[in-house]
Amino acid sequence: GNSVTQMEGPVTLSEEAFLTINCTYTATGYPSLFWYVQYPGEGLQLLLKATKADDKGSNKGFEATYRKETTSFHLEKGSVQVSDSAVYFCALSALIQGAQKLVFGQGTRLTINP
Amino acid sequence: NAGVTQTPKFRVLKTGQSMTLLCAQDMNHEYMYWYRQDPGMGLRLIHYSVGEGTTAKGEVPDGYNVSRLKKQNFLLGLESAAPSQTSVYFCAISGGLVSYEQYFGPGTRLTVT
């Protein structure tokens, strides 16, 4: 089947720290992979994506590389800011019962302290 | 949020009451989805639609009905609300087989007392 596992939170870091949020997946076929971010009181926003093995998605200083050999898509940022405090969701896109759907991880709450 | 709007933003219902949530898009996307988000449960798919006039059940469809009479609108109905349906509801759209990423609306916070 299709599933996504992300590191449990909450994660608390100081400003300018290095961030890694782990994400691994199981899938039949070759899914596209995504990271979404949800700021308090808002909907999910697409942060970055990768559509094939070894692709690197990047946006707003965040990066993630599609690693087929380790079935992983870890999110990284070199220097976090207070404004990065949010919930982060890893997701894969799969064809399920004839329709394209997203399968989400449980989300990781990130808090950045000044 | 990429041209996806949801109405209303907040609602409080009493057990047994009914209501309809509206999702509207201006992106001309084929696929539309309804999710619910509960603490510790992530997002769960309620119903979805792959085009005008079509609907299908997702992971947690019980207690909900949907309709997609027009391509740009996707309605989620609760016929007889229960406290277990207290949640935040999100609508999303995508290009389906053309483009896999989904774009989300701002959400509707529903409380059933």
Side-chain angles (χ1 to χ4, degrees):
Chain A
N2 300 286
S3 66
V4 174
T5 303
Q6 20 180 146
M7 66 186 288
E8 292 191 20
V11 174
T12 303
L13 296 173
S14 298
E15 205 165 21
E16 299 184 3
F18 185 86
L19 168 71
T20 300
I21 301 178
N22 290 337
C23 172
T24 58
Y25 68 91
T26 58
T28 52
Y30 303 97
S32 294
L33 300 174
F34 306 89
W35 276 101
Y36 282 83
V37 58
Q38 185 179 30
Y39 299 104
E42 299 184 10
L44 278 70
Q45 300 176 24
L46 179 63
L47 181 60
L48 53 84
K49 68 177 182 180
T51 58
K52 61 183 186 297
D54 299 325
D55 266 2
K56 178 185 282 187
S58 61
N59 186 24
K60 300 181 181 179
F62 291 90
E63 293 182 342
T65 301
Y66 191 143
R67 301 284 188 202
K68 187 166 178 287
E69 63 276 11
T70 55
T71 61
S72 65
F73 193 53
H74 304 322
L75 182 68
E76 296 181 335
K77 186 174 185 182
S79 177
V80 293
Q81 306 300 313
V82 172
S83 57
D84 293 327
S85 298
V87 180
Y88 292 81
F89 291 91
C90 184
L92 66 81
S93 178
L95 194 63
I96 301 172
Q97 296 175 326
Q100 206 68 28
K101 297 174 186 170
L102 287 182
V103 176
F104 289 91
Q106 293 301 302
T108 302
R109 182 175 300 278
L110 173 66
T111 301
I112 307 299
N113 294 322
Chain B
N1 279 357
V4 183
T5 58
Q6 292 184 233
T7 310
K9 288 184 168 50
F10 303 94
R11 185 73 185 269
V12 179
L13 288 179
K14 293 185 178 177
T15 298
Q17 288 185 319
S18 63
M19 76 164 294
T20 301
L21 284 68
L22 170 64
C23 175
Q25 58 136 334
D26 61 6
M27 301 283 290
N28 201 37
H29 279 355
E30 289 295 333
Y31 279 47
M32 298 186 76
Y33 309 81
W34 276 109
Y35 293 91
R36 59 178 290 172
Q37 184 178 34
D38 302 294
M41 302 286 289
L43 280 92
R44 294 182 291 171
L45 182 64
I46 305 171
H47 286 281
Y48 63 98
S49 168
V50 301
E52 181 179 318
T54 73
T55 63
K57 294 180 180 179
E59 184 185 354
V60 288
D62 293 344
Y64 305 95
N65 56 74
V66 287
S67 65
R68 182 109 180 260
L69 298 180
K70 294 182 180 180
K71 184 177 183 179
Q72 64 268 34
N73 295 337
F74 194 30
L75 280 67
L76 178 71
L78 286 74
E79 292 183 346
S80 179
S84 61
Q85 294 178 303
T86 293
S87 188
V88 181
Y89 292 85
F90 289 102
C91 175
I93 64 174
S94 82
L97 299 179
V98 173
S99 170
Y100 302 154
E101 60 259 37
Q102 293 183 15
Y103 299 96
F104 285 77
T108 295
R109 184 173 296 276
L110 174 66
T111 301
V112 183
T113 61

